[in-house]
Amino acid sequence: MTALLEVKNLQVRVEDREILHGLSLTVNPGEVHAIMGPNGSGKSTLSHVIAGKPGYEVTGGEILFKGEDLLEMSPDERAAKGVFLAFQYPVEIPGVATMNFLRSALNAQRKARGESEFSTPDFLKKVREVAKSLSIPQDMLKRGVNVGFSGGEKKRNEILQMALFEPSLCILDEMDSGLDIDALRIAADGVNALRSPDRAMVVITHYQRLLNYIVPDFVHVMSRGKVVKSGGKELALELEESGYAQFEDAA
Amino acid sequence: MPAVQETVDRVRRIDVDQYRYGFETVIESEKAPKGLSEDTVRFISAKKNEPAWMLEWRLEAYRRWLTMTEPTWARVDYPKIDYQDLYYYSAPKPKKQLSSIDEIDPEILKTYEKLGIPLREVAVLEGVVTKPVSDDGEEGAAAPRSKIAVDAVFDSVSVATTFQKELKQAGVIFMPISEAIREHPELVQKYLGSVVPTSDNYFATLNSAVFSDGSFVYVPPGVRCPMELSTYFRINERNTGQFERTLIIADKGSYVSYLEGCTAPQRDENQLHAAVVELVTHDDAEIKYSTVQNWYPGNSEGVGGIYNFVTKRGDCRGKNSKISWTQVETGSAITWKYPSCILRGDNSRGEFYSIAISNGFQQVDSGTKMIHLGKNTTSRIISKGIAAGKSQNTYRGLVTAHRKATGARNYTACDSLLIGDKCGAHTVPYVEAKNSSATFEHEATTSKISEDVLFYCIQRGLSQEEAVGLVVNGFVKDVLQQLPMEFAVEAQKLISISLEGSVG
């Protein structure tokens, strides 16, 4: 079986500083991987490089997605192929109604894959269904993308898009930041509903707390631009007790 | 950031390729001798069979113009114009006297067809359903096209005006101004130059001397004009200035919505367009004037393009009257244009909604003047400037309240959006209140199109260009909503094309 995502010995620079020094990670369909680590360990860099955010220079290694060279693809191609990044800080786009945005994006992806575009009634039906399951009120969909949304609403909007686009790889970057416990539970329920044998998730977080709600199959600890330890979900609990300091020294 | 660079590079490539209206119509034309003199003025007046008073009016303007100097206060930079090196009159040579639209030179008909302007009335009869097909193949909702009467101005003359009969039944006069001068001299004499006097400014005075055609509209008391009126300007001839004159009068309690569109062929030399538009509203009347300006902007090196030096002014002469300007400016090498409202009647209202997009080497200096003279007059200014490439985009506005204009109110919001780091956006608002009861509010923002916003959109599957288009359309939404439906769709596409990096 081809792995869904294979990161091999990845080295990444931002300006003159190397952030990732030979990181490797293999994710198979159906798996949920948690990546934990202190601030500055390179977690967000990894997510950005996978999604294709400009400003990073890959100086070594490779990333294969479904066996194809991901680094050769533009970010929108990656999205159409099934890479989804749920942002830590989703941006606001004034004047662009959420519904309009969702439709433009979904149809752009479908077009890129050579699929037919959704008809308006089918699209509306689908959005309403998903929105309801995430307790997203209809009027939120009419507002500008994320404009005036609370932290919880923004994160739910990310999950709404995830549900709508049906990506095969979901990267959740610090999904728990800025959420209270109730908002976190709603968001986590949304994510869990999307777990499937064809879909993998990479959950990036500082805290073990999120992993009580989204239970991972594998936990990786990152420090100074490398994965320094990998294990099962119990590794997260271990970290919660002993902290990251031990890995800082090891790295 | 590299991505900023990429956006900038892509947008910078805006170029002749994107200008879809750059074709030239090969047609025989009749021109006045090159250069400007009293003889030129007499030539134009004679061509139009004008009465003596009109010629006198023009000559007075011409003599005045000789004493004036070109204004230099705008934030635009261009080589000196040689006014003697221009043609001031050019008309397609008629093959014979025309009695119906079918006799118009097929080349001209073809030109307007290519531009998507229907000159044959059958094409836009009520109930004809057209399905707009957008470039990306997205299905548009099938909508019955509303009726629009069109006056088509080709270089210096009006070549066709549609739906004249039907409008006549409603009492609305819609005809080329050259005809109105002959057929309705009492109206023209009363109103022409009453809003923009012949002495107003350098370009308006020049226009008064040599204007050759344009539209004339008179809506009688109590009449709501049964359809949108529209003029479509096309400059075709080389080295020819276009000086059109539009005069719209809405009598007591009447209403009219008027649309204006413009294009020109791609040429390496600059062409001059100096129009004057005058609007008059009497008691309780309303004029809504919308422009989609898409003159040739020049190529990617900044060569060629139209100099658009236009004076547009509306006079809310009567109480409770209203004038609303909406403009979408994407073309021209240089734009110098300040559609204004004189709020003379008590409780009158002026509005100015503007989207000005500049790219390549375009220079825009545009805005509005709201002159509050009457009591409890109100005005609203919403201006959205978008600068990309190496362009310069200036909003220049004036809001004044006269001593007697008690209770005057203005709200101004000027937002600028920058794409890339080689362009500039400037806001120059002048505010003057000469009485203490006036309430003026001014808000201004300048922002850069954020890389994070673009990346967010692209991560969701949109291409770089789609993302820029989406963000920009969101930015200008408040103004787009003011446009008549069909124009709004056209304008939205135009905005995307103007900012597109690759061939559209």
Side-chain angles (χ1 to χ4, degrees):
Chain A
M1 185 179 77
T2 338
L4 182 69
L5 176 74
E6 246 183 304
V7 181
K8 294 184 194 164
N9 193 29
L10 187 68
Q11 291 148 47
V12 174
R13 282 172 171 276
V14 174
E15 279 151 14
D16 285 334
R17 209 157 53 91
E18 193 169 90
I19 308 279
L20 299 182
H21 325 277
L23 181 142
S24 297
L25 177 72
T26 302
V27 177
N28 292 306
E31 295 174 352
V32 174
H33 292 244
I35 297 185
M36 303 182 70
N39 279 330
S41 58
K43 303 188 303 290
S44 286
T45 298
L46 176 63
S47 70
H48 289 161
V49 171
I50 294 172
K53 185 170 181 173
Y56 297 92
E57 190 194 348
V58 177
T59 51
E62 59 178 344
I63 304 179
L64 298 179
F65 182 68
K66 299 176 183 170
E68 290 180 77
D69 185 353
L70 194 69
L71 296 173
E72 280 297 303
M73 299 177 205
S74 64
D76 46 323
E77 279 176 74
R78 299 182 199 192
K81 292 259 182 201
V83 175
F84 182 93
L85 172 63
F87 285 75
Q88 180 177 5
Y89 303 110
V91 299
E92 302 187 359
I93 315 176
V96 178
T98 304
M99 197 62 121
N100 183 19
F101 177 78
L102 296 176
R103 190 181 157 156
S104 304
L106 181 60
N107 281 337
Q109 289 195 19
R110 293 182 66 93
K111 204 172 144 191
R113 290 194 292 260
E115 297 165 9
S116 66
E117 293 178 4
F118 265 107
S119 72
T120 309
D122 289 351
F123 171 76
L124 288 177
K125 200 173 150 222
K126 197 172 156 92
V127 175
R128 290 206 180 106
E129 251 167 46
V130 180
K132 202 176 163 199
S133 71
L134 288 163
S135 319
I136 293 175
Q138 288 296 309
D139 75 292
M140 205 170 113
L141 300 174
K142 290 179 193 147
R143 278 148 61 188
V145 176
N146 292 325
V147 178
F149 286 20
S150 69
E153 285 173 330
K154 285 182 183 172
K155 294 292 163 83
R156 270 185 277 158
N157 193 17
E158 294 293 285
I159 297 161
L160 169 72
Q161 295 177 53
M162 210 160 96
L164 209 57
F165 301 155
E166 299 175 335
S168 34
L169 176 67
C170 307
I171 305 163
L172 309 171
D173 193 3
E174 309 270 0
M175 203 192 75
D176 44 345
S177 69
L179 293 192
D180 61 39
I181 205 80
D182 294 327
L184 181 61
R185 188 172 292 130
I186 296 174
D189 286 350
V191 171
N192 284 328
L194 293 173
R195 291 178 79 147
S196 103
D198 318 317
R199 182 172 294 140
M201 297 191 186
V202 175
V203 181
I204 293 172
T205 182
H206 278 293
Y207 304 109
Q208 193 271 333
R209 184 182 76 159
L210 176 66
L211 305 181
N212 289 336
Y213 298 97
I214 303 170
V215 181
D217 303 305
F218 302 95
V219 174
H220 309 276
V221 182
M222 265 185 84
S223 177
R224 297 184 186 173
K226 272 186 174 166
V227 172
V228 288
K229 188 168 187 185
S230 297
K233 61 184 175 222
E234 64 291 342
L235 181 55
L237 292 167
E238 199 181 300
L239 275 174
E240 191 78 352
E241 270 173 34
S242 53
Y244 292 119
Q246 48 176 324
F247 301 109
E248 297 277 280
D249 300 335
Chain B
M1 296 270 288
V4 178
Q5 200 47 51
E6 196 180 325
T7 313
V8 173
D9 288 344
R10 277 170 180 239
V11 171
R12 191 185 295 143
R13 272 181 264 132
I14 166 118
D15 169 282
V16 287
D17 301 346
Q18 268 84 255
Y19 193 73
R20 294 191 298 184
Y21 309 102
F23 61 89
E24 178 179 356
T25 309
V26 181
I27 193 166
E28 242 190 297
S29 64
E30 187 180 17
K31 287 188 231 170
K34 212 177 209 179
L36 183 55
S37 66
E38 283 207 12
D39 288 344
T40 319
V41 177
R42 286 177 199 282
F43 177 94
I44 294 168
S45 189
K47 270 283 154 210
K48 300 284 173 188
N49 288 323
E50 285 176 356
W53 62 265
M54 194 64 232
L55 174 62
E56 218 25 69
W57 195 85
R58 286 175 179 278
L59 286 172
E60 200 190 305
Y62 173 68
R63 288 172 199 137
R64 166 79 72 154
W65 181 73
L66 290 175
T67 69
M68 298 169 92
T69 47
E70 213 170 314
T72 52
W73 44 261
R75 198 187 179 97
V76 293
D77 185 30
Y78 55 94
K80 219 171 155 36
I81 299 171
D82 182 354
Y83 289 90
Q84 296 306 332
D85 196 32
L86 288 176
Y87 290 103
Y88 287 84
Y89 181 84
S90 167
K93 219 174 221 170
K95 301 232 160 104
K96 55 177 175 164
Q97 202 61 34
L98 304 184
S99 61
S100 90
I101 198 146
D102 296 322
E103 292 174 26
I104 292 179
D105 193 315
E107 281 303 317
I108 294 181
L109 278 182
K110 241 186 263 168
T111 301
Y112 283 92
E113 224 162 84
K114 260 193 198 170
L115 297 169
I117 312 298
L119 291 188
R120 289 172 187 280
E121 297 181 11
V122 283
V124 286
L125 280 183
E126 210 157 26
V128 175
V129 174
T130 51
K131 196 164 183 170
V133 182
S134 60
D135 299 332
D136 53 8
E138 197 176 317
E139 44 158 338
R145 274 184 85 114
S146 53
K147 245 190 247 186
I148 302 177
V150 179
D151 182 19
V153 176
F154 195 86
D155 288 331
S156 305
V157 296
S158 169
V159 292
T161 308
T162 60
F163 289 110
Q164 286 210 53
K165 244 184 243 164
E166 207 168 328
L167 287 167
K168 212 169 179 178
Q169 271 171 13
V172 176
I173 304 170
F174 178 42
M175 57 169 59
I177 198 160
S178 55
E179 268 177 60
I181 289 168
R182 296 192 298 269
E183 292 180 29
H184 302 280
E186 70 300 339
L187 284 173
V188 176
Q189 226 169 340
K190 182 173 171 192
Y191 291 103
L192 188 71
S194 73
V195 186
V196 180
T198 49
S199 57
D200 192 80
N201 69 71
Y202 190 80
F203 299 113
T205 306
L206 176 63
N207 173 289
S208 301
V210 300
F211 78 85
S212 44
D213 224 331
S215 299
F216 175 81
V217 178
Y218 173 77
V219 191
V223 172
R224 200 180 162 85
C225 187
M227 61 186 85
E228 308 257 1
L229 304 182
S230 157
T231 300
Y232 201 88
F233 296 103
R234 173 82 179 165
I235 299 179
N236 186 60
E237 199 59 41
R238 195 174 287 273
N239 288 328
T240 298
Q242 190 176 53
F243 305 92
E244 89 269 2
R245 185 107 193 174
T246 296
L247 176 57
I248 302 176
I249 302 131
D251 217 325
K252 288 181 182 172
S254 67
Y255 169 84
V256 63
S257 166
Y258 183 91
L259 322 169
E260 175 201 281
C262 6
T263 59
Q266 292 165 2
R267 296 194 186 286
D268 289 343
E269 71 271 1
N270 297 103
Q271 282 174 289
L272 178 62
H273 174 254
V276 172
V277 176
E278 296 178 277
L279 311 182
V280 178
T281 48
H282 289 288
D283 291 357
D284 306 301
E286 179 177 349
I287 297 175
K288 188 176 164 63
Y289 193 106
S290 314
T291 306
V292 173
Q293 186 264 106
N294 188 20
W295 294 118
Y296 178 52
N299 71 5
S300 51
E301 260 82 60
V303 177
I306 300 282
Y307 291 165
N308 194 31
F309 300 139
V310 172
T311 305
K312 291 181 165 179
R313 197 172 301 153
D315 187 356
C316 287
R317 216 162 272 185
K319 61 176 174 27
N320 306 319
S321 64
K322 181 177 168 188
I323 288 175
S324 171
W325 299 99
T326 305
Q327 59 172 23
V328 178
E329 303 277 313
T330 62
S332 296
I334 297 177
T335 303
W336 182 99
K337 181 180 170 188
Y338 315 90
S340 307
C341 297
I342 300 167
L343 303 167
R344 200 185 303 274
D346 291 347
N347 305 314
S348 61
R349 179 169 175 82
E351 290 175 346
F352 175 75
Y353 299 99
S354 170
I355 299 170
I357 300 182
S358 56
N359 201 343
F361 283 84
Q362 283 176 277
Q363 305 173 59
V364 178
D365 194 303
S366 184
T368 185
K369 290 188 275 188
M370 293 291 173
I371 319 276
H372 293 258
L373 301 178
K375 291 185 177 56
N376 300 316
T377 47
T378 56
S379 61
R380 183 179 166 86
I381 298 169
I382 309 284
S383 165
K384 305 273 182 179
I386 298 152
K390 293 185 176 162
S391 66
Q392 294 295 326
N393 203 323
T394 303
Y395 168 84
R396 189 182 301 277
L398 170 69
V399 180
T400 66
H402 190 260
R403 205 164 37 81
K404 288 177 182 162
T406 50
R409 296 183 80 90
N410 165 269
Y411 173 75
T412 300
C414 295
D415 299 320
S416 307
L417 187 67
L418 296 167
I419 303 176
D421 52 7
K422 295 204 166 57
C423 51
H426 319 274
T427 305
V428 191
Y430 301 88
V431 180
E432 266 173 38
K434 293 190 180 135
N435 77 70
S436 57
S437 64
T439 315
F440 290 169
E441 288 175 73
H442 180 94
E443 288 174 21
T445 65
T446 300
S447 51
K448 236 180 130 159
I449 193 158
S450 135
E451 260 339 291
D452 286 342
V453 170
L454 284 185
F455 179 62
Y456 185 84
C457 297
I458 295 166
Q459 206 296 309
R460 298 306 189 240
L462 297 170
S463 69
Q464 178 102 5
E465 275 134 24
E466 287 167 328
V468 171
L470 192 82
V471 172
V472 169
N473 272 304
F475 175 72
V476 300
K477 191 177 153 220
D478 305 350
V479 175
L480 278 185
Q481 282 171 339
Q482 300 296 329
L483 284 172
M485 188 56 191
E486 291 189 32
F487 252 36
V489 175
E490 188 188 326
Q492 204 164 354
K493 273 191 211 158
L494 191 58
I495 289 164
S496 300
I497 291 168
S498 302
L499 294 168
E500 216 161 65
S502 56
V503 181

